[in-house]
Amino acid sequence: MAIERTLSIIKPDATRRNLTGQINAHFEEAGLRIVAQRRLKLTPEQAKGFYAVHSERAFFNDLCEFMCSGPVVVQVLEGEGAVAKNREVMGATNPANADEGTIRKAFGESIEANSVHGSDSAENAAIEIGFFFSQCDIVG
Ligand code: ADP
Ligand code: MG
């Protein structure tokens, strides 16, 4: 399988509980390498722009408000099949349905406050990485 990159976000529910290191350990144990990482507080405009694909969903406004409610850690993960691998390590969107050993099972508080975001395709990964990082920020 090819070496890929994917965009990950550690969400405000997780940074609030000081879980950045524990979540990063899940990525590294799964063979994903953190090749770029930055902590920031999203503005409402950034959150709406990032989640624009969900703008018609009932949860859109709440989601954007939640994502701005505290710091996030945006990161680029690299590894073999990184997009699918990261989705596997994250677990199902709703922590109640997530498999044992996944990040969302271990740390997710609710379907909204589910601790992590991960790109859902290689195409979206490229767009989402470009939203936060320039080429020279990423050191593989
Ligand atoms: P995923 O993050 O697993 O790719 P989606 O792309 O469908 O899931 O949704 C984006 C984010 O929106 C989720 O991670 C979660 O924070 C939030 N979300 C999804 N579905 C709901 C819902 N039914 N109610 C509230 N928030 C939701
Ligand atoms: Mg998604």
Side-chain angles (χ1 to χ4, degrees), residues 4 7 23 34 49 63 75 78 83 89 100 105 109 127:
E4 292 178 341
L7 191 277
I23 289 174
I34 301 162
L63 172 63
Q75 40 192 198
E78 183 181 86
V83 174
V89 173
E100 279 303 329
K105 176 70 173 183
E109 294 183 315
I127 295 167

Side-chain angles (χ1 to χ4, degrees), residues 6-102:
T6 191
L7 191 277
S8 167
I9 305 179
I10 301 179
K11 294 184 179 184
D13 67 285
T15 60
R16 177 167 45 76
R17 287 174 289 150
N18 207 22
L19 294 171
T20 298
Q22 287 186 63
I23 289 174
N24 281 347
H26 278 253
F27 297 137
E28 293 184 343
E29 278 158 22
L32 291 166
R33 197 170 278 275
I34 301 162
V35 295
Q37 180 167 259
R38 189 165 84 250
R39 182 172 164 110
L40 62 120
K41 196 144 182 283
L42 287 171
T43 65
E45 291 66 32
Q46 285 175 318
K48 285 178 196 153
F50 183 78
Y51 278 118
V53 293
H54 293 308
S55 61
E56 302 304 318
R57 309 286 288 276
F59 58 78
F60 178 70
N61 285 333
D62 278 353
L63 172 63
C64 291
E65 202 173 307
F66 162 64
M67 290 299 289
C68 298
S69 67
V72 297
V73 178
V74 295
Q75 40 192 198
V76 180
L77 306 180
E78 183 181 86
E80 294 224 346
V83 174
K85 171 76 68 68
N86 182 39
R87 297 290 303 189
E88 217 176 281
V89 173
M90 286 164 58
T93 305
N94 187 345
N97 301 330
D99 290 340
E100 279 303 329
T102 63

